[in-house]
């Protein structure tokens, strides 16, 4: 396995085209404004980028082995997941788009092997676009603008659901999670629901498989 961590002062990705065995590339916080010169990285499975401005649309055409894509504070252009053009990274299992300017979930239909999806700290208002992501075990959409838990009843393999810091106020919304028989962790704190004096008890009754509510384990 080969790993490269780019210099934080770097402005251009260069001199890595021939690293065909490179497994992991961490760009970190840098001065890069465009993803380029990645075409030779046929074995790359982990790509982590922080603080990148835009120009992501054509970056992944040859990165067919990518399993983990991590973009944090990257100001993804287009304000939707589809702006990344992820159609070629169909074996990806982990996708993190935290702290971007995303307002809508879309463009993930080809990622049918996705196991973990992290979309916290964006501007998302509706849970949608996950029809083909049936293998998800972790869904993190905390700290958005979501008012309703919906369109996830088909995610039967969910084990962790992070929905804290949103605007959920209807207890009936938890019915969307009843088909997830392996669900163990749920974060709902700092939603209007938490004001209910029976907050924890109602979650336990609605989702009996859950073993952790927010940061606290359930004691039996």
């Amino acid at each position: 396995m080969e790993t490269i961590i780019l210099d934080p002062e770097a402005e251009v990705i260069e001199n890595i085209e021939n690293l065909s065995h490179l497994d992991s590339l961490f760009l970190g916080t840098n001065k890069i404004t465009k993803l380029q010169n990645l075409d030779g990285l046929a074995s790359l499975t982990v790509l982590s980028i922080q603080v990148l401005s835009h120009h992501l649309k054509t970056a992944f055409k040859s990165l067919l082995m990518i399993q983990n894509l991590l973009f944090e504070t990257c100001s993804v252009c287009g304000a939707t997941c589809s702006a990344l053009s992820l159609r070629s990274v169909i074996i990806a299992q982990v996708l993190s788009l935290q702290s971007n300017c995303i307002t809508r979930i879309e463009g993930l239909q080809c990622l049918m092997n996705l196991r973990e999806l992290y979309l916290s700290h964006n501007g998302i208002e509706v849970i949608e676009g996950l029809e083909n992501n049936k293998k998800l075990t972790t869904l993190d959409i905390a700290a958005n603008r979501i008012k309703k838990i919906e369109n996830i009843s088909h995610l039967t393999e969910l084990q962790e659901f992070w929905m804290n810091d949103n605007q959920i106020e209807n207890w009936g919304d938890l019915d969307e999670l009843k088909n997830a028989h392996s669900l163990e962790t749920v974060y709902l704190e700092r939603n209007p629901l938490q004001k209910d004096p029976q907050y924890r008890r109602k979650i336990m009754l609605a989702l009996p498989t859950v073993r952790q509510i927010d940061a606290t384990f359930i004691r039996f």
Side-chain angles (χ1 to χ4, degrees):
M1 182 177 71
E2 296 183 35
T3 299
I4 284 183
I5 301 177
L6 208 65
D7 188 319
E9 295 299 315
E11 298 180 1
V12 179
I13 304 172
E14 58 185 354
N15 301 321
I16 63 173
E17 297 91 336
N18 297 323
L19 299 179
S20 59
H21 297 293
L22 185 66
D23 177 84
S24 303
L25 178 61
F26 296 89
L27 301 183
T29 301
N30 52 68
K31 298 180 180 179
I32 294 170
T33 58
K34 185 176 182 179
L35 286 181
Q36 58 187 0
N37 301 325
L38 302 179
D39 291 344
L41 308 183
S43 299
L44 198 68
T45 60
V46 178
L47 177 59
S48 178
I49 305 170
Q50 293 179 322
V51 193
L52 181 72
S53 61
H54 44 245
H55 301 298
L56 298 179
K57 288 189 175 181
T58 61
F60 310 108
K61 288 182 179 179
S62 61
L63 303 182
L64 302 180
M65 299 303 293
I66 284 286
Q67 296 181 26
N68 298 272
L69 274 172
L70 314 172
F71 296 93
E72 298 181 7
T73 321
C74 292
S75 298
V76 172
C77 59
T80 68
C81 302
S82 62
L84 290 172
S85 297
L86 299 169
R87 287 172 293 183
S88 63
V89 290
I90 58 174
I91 70 169
Q93 296 184 21
V94 179
L95 176 62
S96 177
L97 296 171
Q98 300 178 85
S99 300
N100 284 286
C101 302
I102 295 171
T103 58
R104 186 175 179 183
I105 307 172
E106 62 179 3
L108 304 181
Q109 61 270 18
C110 292
L111 305 184
M112 291 182 287
N113 293 303
L114 204 61
R115 295 284 184 175
E116 301 176 21
L117 178 59
Y118 301 93
L119 295 170
S120 66
H121 297 89
N122 282 292
I124 298 168
E125 297 183 355
V126 178
I127 305 174
E128 59 185 342
L130 302 176
E131 292 80 10
N132 291 353
N133 310 115
K134 297 178 182 180
K135 295 183 179 181
L136 280 175
T137 60
T138 298
L139 178 58
D140 177 6
I141 40 182
N144 278 284
R145 302 172 183 172
I146 298 168
K147 296 181 179 180
K148 183 178 179 60
I149 302 174
E150 59 186 337
N151 302 321
I152 59 170
S153 61
H154 62 292
L155 301 182
T156 59
E157 297 186 23
L158 268 186
Q159 298 174 16
E160 297 191 20
F161 181 63
W162 296 59
M163 178 56 87
N164 52 283
D165 297 281
N166 277 288
Q167 302 170 29
I168 308 302
E169 57 184 3
N170 188 348
W171 284 107
D173 287 7
L174 296 187
D175 289 345
E176 282 287 307
L177 297 167
K178 287 189 173 180
N179 293 331
H181 300 302
S182 298
L183 187 65
E184 295 185 349
T185 301
V186 172
Y187 275 77
L188 286 167
E189 59 188 346
R190 292 183 295 278
N191 277 282
L193 285 181
Q194 194 181 23
K195 297 178 181 179
D196 192 318
Q198 300 296 314
Y199 169 71
R200 291 181 63 83
R201 181 174 181 272
K202 288 185 176 181
I203 294 176
M204 293 168 61
L205 290 173
L207 305 170
T209 63
V210 167
R211 296 294 177 264
Q212 179 181 337
I213 299 173
D214 303 326
T216 308
F217 286 97
I218 295 173
R219 294 183 179 181
F220 294 95

